[in-house]
Amino acid sequence: WAGFGLLLAATITWYFGGETRPYHFLLVALWMGYLFVGPELMEAYPRGVSSYGHSLGVQYVLEGREEEFFYFPWLGFHYAFAGLADLTDIGHPAMIRFGLMVMYAALATGLVTLFGRALPDRKSALLATLISLAMIAVLGVGFTPHQTALILILIGLAFLVSLDANPVANRIALIGLFGAIVVTHGLSALVLVYVAAVAALVRWKRPATAGSRSPGPASLSLLFATIFVAWLMYSSDFWFPTAVEAFRDTVLREPVAFTAPFSHV
Protein backbone atom coordinates (compact mmCIF):
# COMPACT_ATOMS: atom_id res chain seq x y z
CA TRP A 1 0.00 0.00 0.00
CA ALA A 2 2.91 2.36 0.69
CA GLY A 3 4.28 1.65 -2.78
CA PHE A 4 0.84 2.19 -4.31
CA GLY A 5 0.55 5.53 -2.48
CA LEU A 6 3.96 6.69 -3.73
CA LEU A 7 3.14 5.61 -7.29
CA LEU A 8 -0.21 7.41 -7.22
CA ALA A 9 1.42 10.55 -5.79
CA ALA A 10 4.08 10.47 -8.50
CA THR A 11 1.40 10.15 -11.18
CA ILE A 12 -0.61 13.09 -9.77
CA THR A 13 2.55 15.18 -9.49
CA TRP A 14 3.38 14.48 -13.14
CA TYR A 15 -0.16 15.23 -14.35
CA PHE A 16 -0.43 18.59 -12.60
CA GLY A 17 3.20 19.47 -13.17
CA GLY A 18 4.85 21.15 -16.12
CA GLU A 19 5.93 19.76 -19.46
CA THR A 20 6.03 15.99 -19.90
CA ARG A 21 9.60 14.76 -20.33
CA PRO A 22 10.77 11.37 -21.70
CA TYR A 23 11.65 10.16 -18.18
CA HIS A 24 8.00 10.54 -17.15
CA PHE A 25 7.28 7.46 -19.25
CA LEU A 26 8.93 5.46 -16.47
CA LEU A 27 5.44 5.67 -14.96
CA VAL A 28 4.35 3.18 -17.61
CA ALA A 29 6.95 0.66 -16.42
CA LEU A 30 6.04 1.26 -12.76
CA TRP A 31 2.29 0.87 -13.29
CA MET A 32 2.94 -2.16 -15.51
CA GLY A 33 4.91 -3.68 -12.65
CA TYR A 34 2.20 -2.90 -10.12
CA LEU A 35 -0.78 -4.02 -12.22
CA PHE A 36 0.65 -6.99 -14.12
CA VAL A 37 4.21 -8.10 -13.44
CA GLY A 38 4.17 -8.03 -9.64
CA PRO A 39 0.89 -9.94 -9.24
CA GLU A 40 1.98 -12.44 -11.89
CA LEU A 41 5.33 -13.15 -10.21
CA MET A 42 3.60 -13.47 -6.83
CA GLU A 43 0.80 -15.56 -8.40
CA ALA A 44 -1.83 -13.26 -6.92
CA TYR A 45 -3.92 -13.56 -10.09
CA PRO A 46 -5.09 -17.02 -11.15
CA ARG A 47 -4.08 -17.93 -14.65
CA GLY A 48 -6.90 -19.02 -16.92
CA VAL A 49 -7.27 -22.50 -18.35
CA SER A 50 -6.28 -21.16 -21.77
CA SER A 51 -2.89 -20.03 -20.45
CA TYR A 52 -2.06 -23.57 -19.39
CA GLY A 53 -3.55 -24.95 -22.60
CA HIS A 54 -1.40 -22.79 -24.83
CA SER A 55 1.72 -23.49 -22.80
CA LEU A 56 0.95 -27.13 -23.62
CA GLY A 57 0.81 -26.07 -27.27
CA VAL A 58 4.32 -24.66 -26.93
CA GLN A 59 5.39 -27.97 -25.41
CA TYR A 60 3.88 -29.86 -28.36
CA VAL A 61 5.98 -27.77 -30.76
CA LEU A 62 9.13 -28.36 -28.69
CA GLU A 63 8.49 -32.10 -28.93
CA GLY A 64 7.77 -31.99 -32.68
CA ARG A 65 4.12 -33.03 -32.22
CA GLU A 66 2.48 -29.74 -33.21
CA GLU A 67 -0.07 -31.34 -35.54
CA GLU A 68 -1.48 -33.29 -32.59
CA PHE A 69 -2.37 -30.08 -30.73
CA PHE A 70 -6.04 -29.10 -31.04
CA TYR A 71 -5.28 -25.48 -31.99
CA PHE A 72 -3.43 -26.33 -35.21
CA PRO A 73 -2.80 -24.49 -37.60
CA TRP A 74 -2.84 -21.26 -35.53
CA LEU A 75 0.71 -21.98 -34.44
CA GLY A 76 2.53 -18.67 -34.89
CA PHE A 77 2.13 -18.03 -31.18
CA HIS A 78 3.33 -21.49 -30.20
CA TYR A 79 6.31 -21.47 -32.57
CA ALA A 80 7.43 -18.03 -31.33
CA PHE A 81 7.34 -18.97 -27.66
CA ALA A 82 8.77 -22.42 -28.34
CA GLY A 83 11.84 -20.68 -29.77
CA LEU A 84 12.13 -18.47 -26.69
CA ALA A 85 11.61 -21.42 -24.36
CA ASP A 86 14.25 -23.42 -26.20
CA LEU A 87 16.75 -20.58 -25.95
CA THR A 88 16.16 -20.02 -22.25
CA ASP A 89 15.67 -23.70 -21.33
CA ILE A 90 12.72 -23.03 -19.04
CA GLY A 91 10.18 -25.54 -17.78
CA HIS A 92 6.45 -25.76 -18.33
CA PRO A 93 5.11 -23.61 -15.40
CA ALA A 94 7.83 -21.00 -15.85
CA MET A 95 6.99 -20.82 -19.56
CA ILE A 96 3.74 -19.01 -18.78
CA ARG A 97 5.47 -16.50 -16.52
CA PHE A 98 8.29 -15.87 -18.96
CA GLY A 99 5.86 -15.54 -21.86
CA LEU A 100 3.71 -13.08 -19.96
CA MET A 101 6.74 -10.95 -19.11
CA VAL A 102 7.49 -10.71 -22.83
CA MET A 103 3.85 -9.94 -23.62
CA TYR A 104 3.60 -7.25 -20.92
CA ALA A 105 6.69 -5.47 -22.27
CA ALA A 106 5.25 -5.67 -25.79
CA LEU A 107 1.86 -4.42 -24.55
CA ALA A 108 3.43 -1.30 -23.03
CA THR A 109 5.46 -0.75 -26.20
CA GLY A 110 2.36 -1.13 -28.36
CA LEU A 111 0.32 1.34 -26.31
CA VAL A 112 3.06 3.98 -26.16
CA THR A 113 3.75 3.59 -29.88
CA LEU A 114 0.08 3.88 -30.84
CA PHE A 115 -0.74 6.88 -28.67
CA GLY A 116 2.61 8.52 -29.39
CA ARG A 117 1.72 8.55 -33.11
CA ALA A 118 -2.02 9.20 -32.78
CA LEU A 119 -2.10 11.96 -30.15
CA PRO A 120 -0.62 15.46 -30.41
CA ASP A 121 1.72 15.58 -27.41
CA ARG A 122 3.55 13.45 -24.85
CA LYS A 123 1.19 14.24 -21.99
CA SER A 124 -1.84 13.01 -23.92
CA ALA A 125 0.02 9.86 -25.02
CA LEU A 126 1.17 9.00 -21.48
CA LEU A 127 -2.27 9.64 -19.97
CA ALA A 128 -3.99 7.49 -22.62
CA THR A 129 -1.46 4.70 -22.02
CA LEU A 130 -2.03 4.69 -18.26
CA ILE A 131 -5.82 4.71 -18.67
CA SER A 132 -5.59 1.83 -21.15
CA LEU A 133 -3.42 -0.20 -18.77
CA ALA A 134 -5.99 0.33 -16.02
CA MET A 135 -8.79 -0.92 -18.28
CA ILE A 136 -6.81 -3.90 -19.54
CA ALA A 137 -5.89 -4.82 -15.96
CA VAL A 138 -9.57 -5.44 -15.18
CA LEU A 139 -9.58 -8.56 -17.37
CA GLY A 140 -5.84 -9.19 -17.46
CA VAL A 141 -3.62 -10.49 -20.23
CA GLY A 142 -3.57 -14.25 -20.75
CA PHE A 143 -0.83 -16.38 -22.27
CA THR A 144 -2.84 -16.84 -25.46
CA PRO A 145 -2.60 -16.18 -29.22
CA HIS A 146 -5.42 -13.63 -29.29
CA GLN A 147 -3.70 -11.57 -26.57
CA THR A 148 -0.53 -11.53 -28.67
CA ALA A 149 -2.61 -10.57 -31.69
CA LEU A 150 -4.10 -7.67 -29.70
CA ILE A 151 -0.59 -6.36 -29.01
CA LEU A 152 0.37 -6.66 -32.68
CA ILE A 153 -2.85 -4.85 -33.63
CA LEU A 154 -1.95 -1.95 -31.31
CA ILE A 155 1.41 -1.58 -33.05
CA GLY A 156 -0.28 -1.99 -36.43
CA LEU A 157 -2.77 0.79 -35.66
CA ALA A 158 0.17 3.05 -34.81
CA PHE A 159 1.39 2.70 -38.39
CA LEU A 160 -2.12 2.97 -39.83
CA VAL A 161 -2.81 6.34 -38.17
CA SER A 162 0.46 7.75 -39.53
CA LEU A 163 0.48 6.35 -43.07
CA ASP A 164 1.37 9.68 -44.65
CA ALA A 165 4.29 10.35 -42.30
CA ASN A 166 6.49 7.74 -43.99
CA PRO A 167 4.27 6.10 -46.62
CA VAL A 168 6.48 3.28 -47.91
CA ALA A 169 8.00 2.21 -44.58
CA ASN A 170 4.67 2.40 -42.74
CA ARG A 171 2.88 0.28 -45.35
CA ILE A 172 5.64 -2.34 -45.36
CA ALA A 173 5.51 -2.50 -41.55
CA LEU A 174 1.71 -2.85 -41.64
CA ILE A 175 1.82 -5.69 -44.15
CA GLY A 176 4.44 -7.51 -42.08
CA LEU A 177 2.45 -7.04 -38.88
CA PHE A 178 -0.72 -8.26 -40.58
CA GLY A 179 1.07 -11.41 -41.71
CA ALA A 180 2.22 -11.99 -38.13
CA ILE A 181 -1.33 -11.54 -36.83
CA VAL A 182 -2.72 -13.99 -39.41
CA VAL A 183 -0.38 -16.79 -38.34
CA THR A 184 -0.80 -15.91 -34.64
CA HIS A 185 -4.59 -15.69 -34.44
CA GLY A 186 -6.60 -15.68 -37.63
CA LEU A 187 -9.83 -14.14 -36.35
CA SER A 188 -7.98 -11.17 -34.86
CA ALA A 189 -6.52 -10.42 -38.28
CA LEU A 190 -10.00 -9.41 -39.44
CA VAL A 191 -9.89 -6.45 -37.05
CA LEU A 192 -7.27 -4.70 -39.18
CA VAL A 193 -9.25 -5.51 -42.34
CA TYR A 194 -12.29 -3.78 -40.85
CA VAL A 195 -10.33 -0.85 -39.42
CA ALA A 196 -8.51 -0.21 -42.70
CA ALA A 197 -11.83 -0.35 -44.55
CA VAL A 198 -13.41 2.16 -42.14
CA ALA A 199 -10.33 4.40 -42.44
CA ALA A 200 -10.72 4.31 -46.22
CA LEU A 201 -14.41 5.23 -45.90
CA VAL A 202 -13.60 8.14 -43.58
CA ARG A 203 -10.95 9.47 -45.96
CA TRP A 204 -13.39 9.13 -48.86
CA LYS A 205 -16.14 11.05 -47.03
CA ARG A 206 -13.75 13.76 -45.84
CA PRO A 207 -13.68 16.95 -47.93
CA ALA A 208 -11.01 16.77 -50.62
CA THR A 209 -7.74 18.60 -50.02
CA ALA A 210 -5.20 19.76 -52.55
CA GLY A 211 -4.09 16.93 -54.77
CA SER A 212 -5.64 13.51 -55.27
CA ARG A 213 -6.88 11.38 -52.41
CA SER A 214 -4.58 8.56 -51.42
CA PRO A 215 -6.12 5.09 -51.82
CA GLY A 216 -3.78 3.74 -49.12
CA PRO A 217 -6.26 2.44 -46.51
CA ALA A 218 -8.59 1.01 -49.16
CA SER A 219 -5.80 -0.86 -50.94
CA LEU A 220 -4.44 -2.09 -47.59
CA SER A 221 -7.87 -3.38 -46.59
CA LEU A 222 -8.19 -5.23 -49.91
CA LEU A 223 -4.67 -6.65 -49.54
CA PHE A 224 -5.33 -7.74 -45.95
CA ALA A 225 -8.56 -9.44 -46.97
CA THR A 226 -6.73 -11.25 -49.78
CA ILE A 227 -4.01 -12.45 -47.39
CA PHE A 228 -6.68 -13.62 -44.93
CA VAL A 229 -8.53 -15.59 -47.62
CA ALA A 230 -5.25 -17.16 -48.79
CA TRP A 231 -4.47 -18.20 -45.21
CA LEU A 232 -7.98 -19.60 -44.83
CA MET A 233 -7.59 -21.71 -47.99
CA TYR A 234 -4.16 -22.90 -46.85
CA SER A 235 -5.38 -23.84 -43.37
CA SER A 236 -8.22 -25.78 -45.02
CA ASP A 237 -5.77 -27.76 -47.18
CA PHE A 238 -6.93 -25.84 -50.29
CA TRP A 239 -10.24 -27.74 -50.27
CA PHE A 240 -12.88 -25.17 -51.17
CA PRO A 241 -15.89 -26.60 -49.25
CA THR A 242 -13.77 -26.88 -46.11
CA ALA A 243 -12.58 -23.29 -46.57
CA VAL A 244 -16.19 -22.10 -46.91
CA GLU A 245 -17.08 -23.87 -43.66
CA ALA A 246 -14.03 -22.37 -41.95
CA PHE A 247 -15.06 -18.91 -43.18
CA ARG A 248 -18.57 -19.46 -41.86
CA ASP A 249 -17.37 -20.60 -38.45
CA THR A 250 -14.47 -18.15 -38.08
CA VAL A 251 -15.81 -15.00 -39.68
CA LEU A 252 -19.60 -15.20 -39.54
CA ARG A 253 -20.38 -17.12 -36.36
CA GLU A 254 -17.56 -16.18 -33.98
CA PRO A 255 -18.13 -12.38 -34.05
CA VAL A 256 -21.74 -13.02 -32.98
CA ALA A 257 -20.25 -14.06 -29.62
CA PHE A 258 -19.45 -10.38 -29.01
CA THR A 259 -23.16 -9.93 -28.27
CA ALA A 260 -23.09 -12.66 -25.60
CA PRO A 261 -22.01 -11.51 -22.09
CA PHE A 262 -18.89 -13.20 -20.72
CA SER A 263 -18.20 -14.94 -24.03
CA HIS A 264 -14.73 -16.28 -24.75
CA VAL A 265 -14.35 -13.78 -27.60
Side-chain angles (χ1 to χ4, degrees):
W1 285 106
F4 172 71
L6 288 171
L7 184 53
L8 192 59
T11 305
I12 293 172
T13 302
W14 154 74
Y15 184 74
F16 291 102
E19 182 183 355
T20 298
R21 304 286 184 182
Y23 66 81
H24 284 125
F25 282 84
L26 285 173
L27 286 170
V28 176
L30 293 172
W31 277 112
M32 180 68 72
Y34 179 80
L35 293 173
F36 297 101
V37 177
E40 177 60 36
L41 291 178
M42 296 301 294
E43 296 185 323
Y45 291 166
R47 302 187 188 95
V49 175
S50 59
S51 290
Y52 284 107
H54 287 294
S55 66
L56 278 174
V58 175
Q59 195 65 40
Y60 270 72
V61 174
L62 289 171
E63 296 175 3
R65 301 165 51 203
E66 54 268 22
E67 294 197 25
E68 298 177 29
F69 189 60
F70 71 96
Y71 207 59
F72 190 83
W74 290 276
L75 279 170
F77 174 90
H78 303 116
Y79 277 117
F81 281 102
L84 290 173
D86 202 25
L87 286 172
T88 52
D89 194 26
I90 58 179
H92 183 78
M95 188 187 301
I96 302 174
R97 271 192 197 172
F98 174 73
L100 285 173
M101 297 303 107
V102 174
M103 291 171 67
Y104 293 147
L107 173 63
T109 302
L111 288 170
V112 172
T113 303
L114 171 59
F115 293 127
R117 286 171 174 255
L119 298 177
D121 53 56
R122 288 174 179 167
K123 189 166 191 175
S124 301
L126 179 51
L127 180 62
T129 300
L130 295 179
I131 292 172
S132 298
L133 286 177
M135 291 191 295
I136 293 171
V138 173
L139 295 176
V141 176
F143 184 66
T144 60
H146 63 271
Q147 298 285 9
T148 303
L150 165 66
I151 295 166
L152 293 173
I153 286 171
L154 289 175
I155 300 172
L157 291 177
F159 289 101
L160 186 62
V161 300
S162 55
L163 272 180
D164 297 332
N166 194 341
V168 175
N170 285 0
R171 282 164 173 76
I172 291 173
L174 262 171
I175 293 168
L177 283 165
F178 185 79
I181 296 169
V182 167
V183 299
T184 300
H185 191 249
L187 180 59
S188 296
L190 279 179
V191 174
L192 276 185
V193 178
Y194 298 148
V195 170
V198 170
L201 182 63
V202 169
R203 289 168 70 98
W204 178 66
K205 290 292 186 183
R206 196 171 54 192
T209 55
S212 60
R213 281 191 292 265
S214 168
S219 58
L220 279 172
S221 182
L222 180 61
L223 175 62
F224 291 165
T226 303
I227 293 173
F228 179 81
V229 170
W231 164 80
L232 197 65
M233 295 292 287
Y234 168 76
S235 64
S236 305
D237 294 327
F238 293 97
W239 183 241
F240 186 73
T242 308
V244 171
E245 291 176 6
F247 179 82
R248 178 197 65 196
D249 296 339
T250 305
V251 180
L252 302 182
R253 289 184 177 173
E254 287 263 14
V256 176
F258 279 112
T259 64
F262 311 113
S263 69
H264 71 283
V265 178

